[in-house]
Amino acid sequence: PIRDGRGSLTTTGHDSEVDDKKASQTLYKRIGQTKLDAIVADVYQAMQADVGLARFFARFRVEALQEKTVEYLRAEWGGGTYEGPDLWIAHAHLGVTNEQYDGMVQFYIQALKRQNIPARETKEILDSIEKMRSVTVALDQQLQASLAKPVAKAGAPPRPKGQNMQVGGTKASQTLY
C-alpha cells in the first residue's frame, strides 16, 4: 500500500490487476484440471456409496461415466468442447427424481468444501450443476414440481410420497459407454 495525495492508504494497483485478470479467466482455468478430476471422483464415490443413488451405476462402467462428466464440466466451465451424448439422452431412461438430484448436489457441495474451492467458484459450479437439472430429472418429476407450486398456493394437500408416476428405468443388461 502507498499513501494517496490525501494521505490515505491505497494499493499500488497491482493487487487489483491480478484480481481483475483472475476474474476474467474461465471457471475451468480458475479451478484447474486436477481439482475438476478430484471433485468429480469425490462425487461419484459418494453417489456409489449412497443407498438411494447406487442403483444408477450398477450397469455402467463408472470410470467411463466419470470421464464423460469431467469432459462435460470442462466444456461447460470454459475449458474446451464436449463431444459426448446429449445430457437429456444420457439421463432420460434413468428416471432421476428431484430428490435424487438434490442428493447429488449435496455431494458436490461436500466435494467443493473438501477441495477448498473458493466461494465465488463454488457458487458458479453449483449454478452450473443446477442448470443441468432440467435435462437430467425425469419429465414427470419436472411436471409434478411445476404443478405443485400452484396447487400448494391454492391450499390443496400435497400428494403423498410413493404415489408419483415413474418414467424410464430400462432394464438393459449391457454396459453403456
Side-chain angles (χ1 to χ4, degrees), residues 64-85:
L65 293 175
Q66 276 185 228
E67 288 172 17
K68 285 294 181 195
T69 301
V70 166
E71 288 175 26
Y72 182 85
L73 292 176
R74 183 175 42 240
E76 174 73 18
W77 299 347
T81 58
Y82 172 71
E83 298 194 17

Side-chain angles (χ1 to χ4, degrees), residues 36-102:
L36 173 57
D37 289 338
I39 291 164
V40 171
D42 194 350
V43 170
Y44 270 86
Q45 183 178 15
M47 288 192 300
Q48 286 180 278
D50 184 85
V51 174
L53 298 176
R55 72 175 180 86
F56 290 111
F57 305 101
R59 60 188 180 92
F60 295 95
R61 287 187 322 109
V62 175
E63 299 81 18
L65 293 175
Q66 276 185 228
E67 288 172 17
K68 285 294 181 195
T69 301
V70 166
E71 288 175 26
Y72 182 85
L73 292 176
R74 183 175 42 240
E76 174 73 18
W77 299 347
T81 58
Y82 172 71
E83 298 194 17
D86 175 85
L87 285 183
W88 185 82
I89 291 170
H91 294 90
H93 68 282
L94 297 174
V96 176
T97 67
N98 276 303
E99 292 79 15
Q100 291 162 332
Y101 199 89
D102 289 342

Side-chain angles (χ1 to χ4, degrees), residues 2-177:
I2 57 172
R3 298 220 180 252
D4 66 11
R6 295 176 304 218
S8 300
L9 286 178
T10 184
T11 65
T12 61
H14 176 71
D15 290 339
S16 63
E17 289 172 20
V18 170
D19 290 343
D20 289 345
K21 185 176 180 180
K22 187 173 182 183
S24 68
Q25 291 180 338
T26 65
L27 176 57
Y28 174 73
K29 284 210 182 255
R30 287 180 277 139
I31 295 296
Q33 186 66 47
T34 303
K35 290 279 189 180
L36 173 57
D37 289 338
I39 291 164
V40 171
D42 194 350
V43 170
Y44 270 86
Q45 183 178 15
M47 288 192 300
Q48 286 180 278
D50 184 85
V51 174
L53 298 176
R55 72 175 180 86
F56 290 111
F57 305 101
R59 60 188 180 92
F60 295 95
R61 287 187 322 109
V62 175
E63 299 81 18
L65 293 175
Q66 276 185 228
E67 288 172 17
K68 285 294 181 195
T69 301
V70 166
E71 288 175 26
Y72 182 85
L73 292 176
R74 183 175 42 240
E76 174 73 18
W77 299 347
T81 58
Y82 172 71
E83 298 194 17
D86 175 85
L87 285 183
W88 185 82
I89 291 170
H91 294 90
H93 68 282
L94 297 174
V96 176
T97 67
N98 276 303
E99 292 79 15
Q100 291 162 332
Y101 199 89
D102 289 342
M104 182 200 68
V105 170
Q106 289 304 310
F107 291 136
Y108 269 98
I109 291 169
Q110 293 167 10
L112 295 170
K113 286 179 184 175
R114 277 192 284 278
Q115 293 298 320
N116 298 312
I117 303 301
R120 175 178 172 221
E121 285 76 12
T122 292
K123 181 182 180 333
E124 286 181 57
I125 290 168
L126 293 176
D127 287 349
S128 173
I129 299 299
E130 189 58 38
K131 186 172 74 173
M132 292 182 276
R133 181 185 296 264
S134 66
V135 293
T136 305
V137 172
L139 291 176
D140 68 312
Q141 288 287 310
Q142 293 177 42
L143 179 61
Q144 287 173 15
S146 68
L147 291 176
K149 291 176 187 172
V151 169
K153 287 181 185 176
R159 190 175 201 177
K161 289 192 183 259
Q163 291 186 4
N164 295 333
M165 181 174 57
Q166 191 69 14
V167 174
T170 62
K171 298 193 183 231
S173 61
Q174 68 196 44
T175 300
L176 302 178
Y177 287 101

